[in-house]
Amino acid sequence: MAARKPAAKPRVKKCSDCKGTGEIAETVRVGARKGRATGDQQAALCLTCFGTGEATD
């Protein structure tokens, strides 16, 4: 009798928003009233996958 092959792991799709990294670049905003955007960016948690990097659909 032939030995069984181990079951393959199911492929998990990468999140389309963060490309599987779990982080996105968010624009820094300054000012309480107008919220003026600056040229700087900071890392933020991807809200689509909550930082896992896996697609939720």
Side-chain angles (χ1 to χ4, degrees):
M1 185 191 298
R4 287 185 156 192
K5 290 184 178 179
K9 286 187 177 181
R11 291 224 153 210
V12 180
K13 293 182 182 178
K14 290 184 179 180
C15 177
S16 60
D17 291 347
C18 65
K19 313 280 189 291
T21 61
E23 291 185 349
I24 58 171
E26 188 71 28
T27 303
V28 176
R29 297 192 172 271
V30 180
R33 290 186 177 175
K34 294 184 180 180
R36 191 177 74 238
T38 64
D40 300 320
Q41 292 186 340
Q42 64 184 4
L45 184 70
C46 178
L47 295 178
T48 306
C49 65
F50 296 110
T52 62
E54 299 174 356
T56 55
D57 49 47

